[in-house]
């Protein structure tokens, strides 16, 4: 079997901490639309899309053609020492879409670098190394971004250039305030924010960074308006708000283009990556010009915003806007949420169904509501056996994440729902027999 031989080679040469999905990991050899085919010839409906990165799907002619036309010029890279038309065009588009007045854009190669840049800007602008972050967050893998990552399982190092204070609010399902109404939950989190600022900081904090829906944290979905209320407190202290839209951007939440828009607030900076390039390595920060321009030294990303990535990303962004994929995400997301809630109502192993648009999570629990990571592993295998790829996440590894390409069709949504219903039933039976 092809995967066995590759798995043995992978294990001997790749780091142990680079986790693979499935008891028998797969290699995706080809793909089209929302379907991927593994090296052994088995085809799956893809509901994780390279961790929300293949936002439009696979083998999209408009995007492939744009990339090919850039290849044909012979220029894969020129560096930011020279003008790059596709980079400028993409920056203009993102600046406009951001809703941030007088915005400028800096391109990176990943979400980690995007957040490192936002932290660099905010800490320099405010001349402060203090940062507020949400518990259960994930912001990347470098020293500052690991520091603002509030999930033990993703915090490989405690070494950090910044001082972080932790705020409640993202992960409502296991929050001490979970029993409260939306309005009271927001009040309690705002009071916590104020107390955290007053008790754990010197007041002159650089910024607060939030994921509007926590991705790795298990698509946790706080009540709309929470971050708008946070901003009112932050403004009292002059603290900047950074919205990490690496997973929630580009219309994935269905109702808005950026996840933070559900909170009726314009942040000082937005960080992005993943879906923008539909698989090409690109990320960045869009922020007010006076914030972006505050650095007093040169700063460069050699590959950031290179001609290939920005040409492909422009084609992807145009495709997304022209086909109104945000509306599609909203429509099919609602269908999936309704369908899954109906399934979950009869299956106590599913403690929570949550999310927005095409960012949907199932939190799996034991008899007393405790996290059930074994059930999540089982559901991953059951869905794969039936031809559906899904993701896993959550503080306790007990959350299944569904995030298909935003070009998903109604028929594919129904197919996935059917597979999920059967798979959840199979897992529920396994749990009973244990
Ligand atoms: C919300 C969020 N921010 C930042 C990152 C880091 O992005 P990257 O893996 O491209 O460095 C991720 C990656 O999963 C993410 O989900």
């Amino acid at each position: 079997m092809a995967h066995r031989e590759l798995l043995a080679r992978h294990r001997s040469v790749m780091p142990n901490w680079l986790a693979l999905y499935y008891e028998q990991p797969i290699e995706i050899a080809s793909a089209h639309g929302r379907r991927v085919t593994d090296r052994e010839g088995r085809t799956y409906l893809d509901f994780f899309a390279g961790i929300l990165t293949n936002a439009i799907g696979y083998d999209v002619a408009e995007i492939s053609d744009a990339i090919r036309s850039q290849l044909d010029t012979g220029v894969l890279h020129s560096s930011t020492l020279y003008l790059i038309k596709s980079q400028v065009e993409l920056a203009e588009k993102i600046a406009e879409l951001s809703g941030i007045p007088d915005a400028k854009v800096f391109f990176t190669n990943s979400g980690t670098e995007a957040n490192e840049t936002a932290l660099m800007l905010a800490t320099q602008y405010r001349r402060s190394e203090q940062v507020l972050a949400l518990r259960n967050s994930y912001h990347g893998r470098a020293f500052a971004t690991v520091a603002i990552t509030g999930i033990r399982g993703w915090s490989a190092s405690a070494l950090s250039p910044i001082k972080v204070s932790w705020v409640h609010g993202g992960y409502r399902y296991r929050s001490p305030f979970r029993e409260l109404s939306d309005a009271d939950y927001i009040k309690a989190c705002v009071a916590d924010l104020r107390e955290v600022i007053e008790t754990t900081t010197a007041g002159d904090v650089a910024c607060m960074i939030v994921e509007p829906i926590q991705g790795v944290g298990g698509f946790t979905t706080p009540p709309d308006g929470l971050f708008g209320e946070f901003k009112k407190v932050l403004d009292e202290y002059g603290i900047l708000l950074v919205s990490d839209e690496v997973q929630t951007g580009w219309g994935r939440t269905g109702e808005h283009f950026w996840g933070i828009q559900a909170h009726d607030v314009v942040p000082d900076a937005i960080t992005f990556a993943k879906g923008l390039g539909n698989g090409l390595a690109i990320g960045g920060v869009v922020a007010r010009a006076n914030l972006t321009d505050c650095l007093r030294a040169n700063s460069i990303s050699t590959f950031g915003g290179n001609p290939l990535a920005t040409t492909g990303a422009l084609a992807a962004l145009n495709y997304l806007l022209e086909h109104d994929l945000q509306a599609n995400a909203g429509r099919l997301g609602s269908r999936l949420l309704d369908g899954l809630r109906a399934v979950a109502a009869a299956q106590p192993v599913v403690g929570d169904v949550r999310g927005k648009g095409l960012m949907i999570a199932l939190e799996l629990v034991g008899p007393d509501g405790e996290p059930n990571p074994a059930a999540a592993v089982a559901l991953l295998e059951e869905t794969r056996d039936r031809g559906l790829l899904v993701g896993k996440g959550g503080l306790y590894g007990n959350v299944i994440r569904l995030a298909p390409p935003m070009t998903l069709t109604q028929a594919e949504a129904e197919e996935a729902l059917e597979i999920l219903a059967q798979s959840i039933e199979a897992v529920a039976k396994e749990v009973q027999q244990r």
Side-chain angles (χ1 to χ4, degrees):
M1 298 272 260
H3 79 263
R4 271 205 207 123
E5 200 244 337
L6 190 58
L7 179 59
R9 286 167 57 196
H10 176 104
R11 292 225 163 105
S12 68
V13 77
M14 309 298 285
N16 287 346
W17 38 263
L18 204 57
L20 287 163
Y21 273 177
Y22 305 115
E23 216 170 282
Q24 294 183 4
I26 58 178
E27 182 196 2
I28 293 175
S30 63
H32 180 75
R34 274 70 53 202
R35 295 196 196 258
V36 300
T37 302
D38 72 13
R39 186 62 69 194
E40 277 128 353
R42 176 130 201 239
T43 295
Y44 306 87
L45 184 56
D46 186 0
F47 260 51
F48 206 36
I51 322 181
L52 292 82
T53 300
N54 302 312
I56 299 177
Y58 299 88
D59 195 22
V60 181
E62 288 86 338
I63 303 172
S64 302
D65 289 348
I67 294 169
R68 260 184 231 112
S69 72
Q70 183 61 39
L71 285 178
D72 289 344
T73 66
V75 183
L76 295 189
H77 173 74
S78 61
S79 90
T80 47
L81 299 175
Y82 308 104
L83 290 167
I84 301 171
K85 191 170 172 204
S86 53
Q87 185 186 76
V88 174
E89 269 180 39
L90 186 63
E92 285 169 347
K93 244 194 173 112
I94 292 172
E96 194 189 325
L97 287 163
S98 74
I100 297 174
D102 193 22
K104 284 192 171 185
V105 182
F106 178 73
F107 288 110
T108 65
N109 307 288
S110 67
T112 296
E113 290 171 80
N115 285 329
E116 289 281 333
T117 307
L119 291 174
M120 166 92 77
L121 296 177
T123 53
Q124 284 299 312
Y125 185 83
R126 294 272 296 151
R127 307 301 298 166
S128 164
E129 83 286 34
Q130 302 160 77
V131 172
L132 301 168
L134 287 176
R135 294 160 184 231
N136 196 48
S137 58
Y138 182 87
H139 295 290
R141 60 171 303 281
F143 282 108
T145 41
V146 152
I148 52 169
T149 284
I151 298 179
R152 167 68 194 89
W154 290 101
S155 296
S157 172
L159 298 177
S160 165
I162 51 174
K163 287 204 177 96
V164 187
S165 296
W166 298 98
V167 178
H168 279 291
Y171 186 19
R172 186 178 188 173
Y173 186 67
R174 294 189 189 280
S175 158
F177 314 134
R178 67 176 273 174
E179 303 299 344
L180 302 178
S181 67
D182 283 5
D184 287 343
Y185 180 86
I186 290 176
K187 265 193 210 145
C189 295
V190 168
D192 171 64
L193 169 65
R194 198 180 281 285
E195 192 173 288
V196 166
I197 295 172
E198 286 296 323
T199 59
T200 72
T201 78
D204 55 340
V205 175
C207 67
M208 176 168 203
I209 184 162
V210 301
E211 294 161 90
I213 293 177
Q214 293 177 327
V216 174
F219 292 173
T220 66
T221 315
D224 288 356
L226 173 69
F227 299 126
E229 291 304 310
F230 274 8
K231 182 77 162 90
K232 290 179 191 162
V233 176
L234 300 178
D235 283 347
E236 290 174 28
Y237 295 86
I239 301 169
L240 305 174
L241 177 64
V242 178
S243 185
D244 178 342
E245 301 273 356
V246 167
Q247 298 213 8
T248 46
W250 322 114
R252 178 161 286 279
T253 63
E255 42 176 52
H256 296 102
F257 193 75
W258 305 108
I260 197 75
Q261 289 171 316
H263 300 269
D264 206 14
V265 62
V266 179
D268 297 285
I270 289 173
T271 58
F272 56 83
K274 291 202 192 284
L276 173 61
N278 200 44
L280 290 164
I282 188 165
V285 187
V286 52
R288 286 188 283 111
N290 61 345
L291 176 54
T292 313
D293 288 337
C294 79
L295 300 188
R296 297 266 174 269
N298 290 319
S299 196
I300 185 176
S301 166
T302 297
F303 295 117
N306 67 74
L308 193 68
T310 46
T311 296
L314 251 184
L317 186 52
N318 285 336
Y319 188 100
L320 190 133
L321 295 170
E322 281 160 18
H323 293 78
D324 199 2
L325 297 188
Q326 180 184 320
N328 195 50
R331 199 169 51 82
L332 294 180
S334 298
R335 168 67 191 124
L336 285 167
L337 270 173
D338 289 348
L340 288 167
R341 286 197 171 120
V343 171
Q347 301 288 5
V349 70
V350 184
D352 195 26
V353 179
R354 59 177 176 251
K356 277 187 182 181
L358 291 176
M359 256 185 118
I360 297 176
L362 305 168
E363 175 146 359
L364 303 178
V365 298
D368 298 318
E370 69 278 18
N372 192 344
V377 171
L379 190 50
L380 207 71
E381 296 289 349
E382 291 289 346
T383 45
R384 179 246 171 106
D385 286 350
R386 292 173 174 81
L388 180 71
L389 302 185
V390 301
K392 201 157 70 70
L395 184 57
Y396 307 100
N398 65 322
V399 178
I400 289 294
R401 294 192 284 161
L402 309 172
M406 290 161 61
T407 43
L408 187 74
T409 65
Q410 176 87 38
E412 289 162 346
E414 301 302 333
E415 182 184 335
L417 266 179
E418 183 59 36
I419 292 176
L420 283 160
Q422 289 170 12
S423 304
I424 291 168
E425 199 179 319
V427 170
K429 275 196 192 130
E430 277 176 47
V431 168
Q432 268 171 7
Q433 282 158 10
R434 259 186 229 141

